[in-house]
Amino acid sequence: MQPIISVNDLTKTYAGGFQALQNINLDIHRGEIFALLGPNGAGKTTLISIICGIVNASSGTVLADGHDIRRDFRAARSKIGLVPQELTTDMFETVWATVNFSRGLFGKPADKALVERILRDLSLWDKRHERIMALSGGMKRRVMIAKALSHEPAILFLDEPTAGVDVELRRDMWEMVRRLRENGVTIILTTHYIEEAEEMADRIGVINKGRIVLVEDKHVLMQQLGKKQLTLHLQQPLAAIPSALAGLPLTLSVDGSELVYTFDTQSEQTGIATLLRRLGEQGIDFLDLKTSQSSLEEIFVSLVHDSRAAQEAH
């Protein structure tokens, strides 16, 4: 299946010489939720701005639903909805007026039923006659999403959509995003809340210093790069790990009350049986044990750290 967004050899160098993007190649599948992660200044917003036609690339090509964003820019932009980080709308307009106006900007005929459905889905229907300046920050964010959806785009970019909103509103937005995906809309999400990507995304892309570090299915990524740990709460604290256990991937807590065994999730042989046998041979008893796995946040931090180290080495 042809990707709904295809980015090829994309670069962006600003007039001052700063290279914001370097040879970006990225395909985004139709109907997926794709999370683009990266630290501040990594190039996330620049990449989105180029795809949406706000910033011009220095070189490379971008296709949006088969339309070149330069040669066929009107058709390409009609396929895209963007919810930017900043709240940029006319604060003196009513919710109803600004959403209808946004639809008209794309040459779409008035459709009261559609706009009503969007406002109801975003819990804005009761606010439709209120001026935007009177709304809370979370409601203003919902208005921005309504504006982006008003022309029925096939692709929706959410650039830090839940920044500064409360937990309840954030979860409401997650549900809204899932409903959009069920209706065939492709979602590209940037976020600093790693739990959002872990909760919602089908695939994860990591960008750092203008380069794509990795693109992978979320579950495959967590399985391949995540590590599992077995924590044993000891019956008696240890002063140090016995020499007979020195060859095992063990760490001892500061107070000596816990042994932590790290093992590879991909290996068929975890080594846990061997560990427990050797603990018994050493007379080390434990009261309890638990297992845990690396979170997406830990994997992300590790990837960014490794990427920085590699770039500095070159």
Side-chain angles (χ1 to χ4, degrees):
M1 182 184 293
Q2 183 182 9
I4 196 165
I5 293 177
S6 184
V7 180
N8 296 287
D9 298 324
L10 192 70
T11 65
K12 174 60 181 177
T13 303
Y14 287 97
F18 173 68
Q19 193 168 24
L21 297 176
Q22 305 177 51
N23 300 318
I24 299 292
N25 290 280
L26 177 65
D27 285 340
I28 295 175
H29 304 156
R30 188 178 301 273
E32 75 172 334
I33 299 177
F34 184 88
L36 183 63
L37 306 180
N40 288 330
K44 302 187 298 296
T45 299
T46 300
L47 177 57
I48 288 175
S49 297
I50 289 173
I51 296 173
C52 293
I54 300 170
V55 172
N56 291 325
S58 300
S59 63
T61 61
V62 178
L63 299 181
D65 203 10
H67 302 283
D68 187 289
I69 62 165
R70 285 182 172 175
R71 294 197 303 268
D72 197 9
F73 66 91
R74 291 188 185 278
R77 291 179 192 179
S78 72
K79 299 291 184 178
I80 296 172
L82 169 64
V83 182
Q85 291 185 39
E86 296 80 14
L87 297 171
T88 53
T89 189
D90 188 344
M91 292 293 160
F92 297 97
E93 280 286 4
T94 64
V95 172
W96 179 264
T98 196
V99 175
N100 276 282
F101 179 72
S102 291
R103 179 174 172 80
L105 287 175
F106 287 86
K108 296 279 188 174
D111 189 333
K112 292 183 178 180
L114 172 72
V115 174
E116 177 179 343
R117 177 171 57 79
I118 291 171
L119 295 182
R120 287 190 183 278
D121 285 347
L122 291 167
S123 300
L124 285 168
W125 182 246
D126 292 339
K127 307 285 186 181
R128 63 190 183 278
H129 297 309
E130 290 191 25
R131 299 193 183 279
I132 295 170
M133 63 185 298
L135 300 179
S136 67
M139 285 296 175
K140 290 173 183 173
R141 182 72 61 184
R142 291 179 191 233
V143 173
M144 294 299 296
I145 296 173
K147 285 163 59 68
L149 294 173
S150 64
H151 65 287
E152 304 166 89
I155 305 162
L156 180 64
F157 283 94
L158 299 171
D159 196 2
E160 302 288 349
T162 58
V165 304
D166 60 44
V167 174
E168 182 178 2
L169 179 53
R170 189 177 303 154
R171 292 197 174 275
D172 287 347
M173 287 190 179
W174 292 358
E175 290 303 318
M176 178 211 68
V177 168
R178 291 189 184 97
R179 289 198 301 271
L180 288 171
R181 195 261 299 273
E182 290 171 0
N183 291 329
V185 179
T186 303
I187 311 290
I188 298 91
L189 167 77
T190 74
T191 180
H192 282 294
Y193 298 107
I194 305 297
E195 69 270 19
E196 282 189 342
E198 193 164 356
E199 173 80 16
M200 298 169 57
D202 299 306
R203 288 196 303 152
I204 304 288
V206 178
I207 186 171
N208 189 40
K209 292 190 175 180
R211 294 181 181 272
I212 296 290
V213 176
L214 174 144
V215 176
E216 188 57 271
D217 179 273
K218 176 184 64 180
H219 298 295
V220 172
L221 176 64
M222 296 186 70
Q223 187 176 37
Q224 290 181 344
L225 299 181
K227 293 183 180 297
K228 276 195 172 181
Q229 292 184 326
L230 175 70
T231 302
L232 299 104
H233 301 271
L234 304 178
Q235 196 167 51
Q236 298 292 331
L238 294 175
I241 297 174
S243 58
L245 304 176
L248 297 176
L250 287 168
T251 56
L252 185 65
S253 64
V254 175
D255 62 2
S257 64
E258 292 183 348
L259 270 177
V260 179
Y261 176 73
T262 304
F263 58 96
D264 187 356
T265 59
Q266 295 293 294
S267 175
E268 294 182 2
Q269 301 296 325
T270 62
I272 291 176
T274 300
L275 168 68
L276 298 179
R277 176 177 55 79
R278 291 172 68 175
L279 287 174
E281 291 171 354
Q282 295 298 309
I284 300 174
D285 297 321
F286 55 90
L287 299 171
D288 191 15
L289 56 82
K290 65 177 181 179
T291 59
S292 60
Q293 187 165 359
S294 300
S295 68
L296 182 58
E297 182 171 8
E298 292 168 325
I299 295 170
F300 167 71
V301 171
S302 175
L303 285 169
V304 171
H305 178 271
D306 292 345
S307 170
R308 284 175 177 166
Q311 290 180 27
E312 289 170 359
H314 287 83

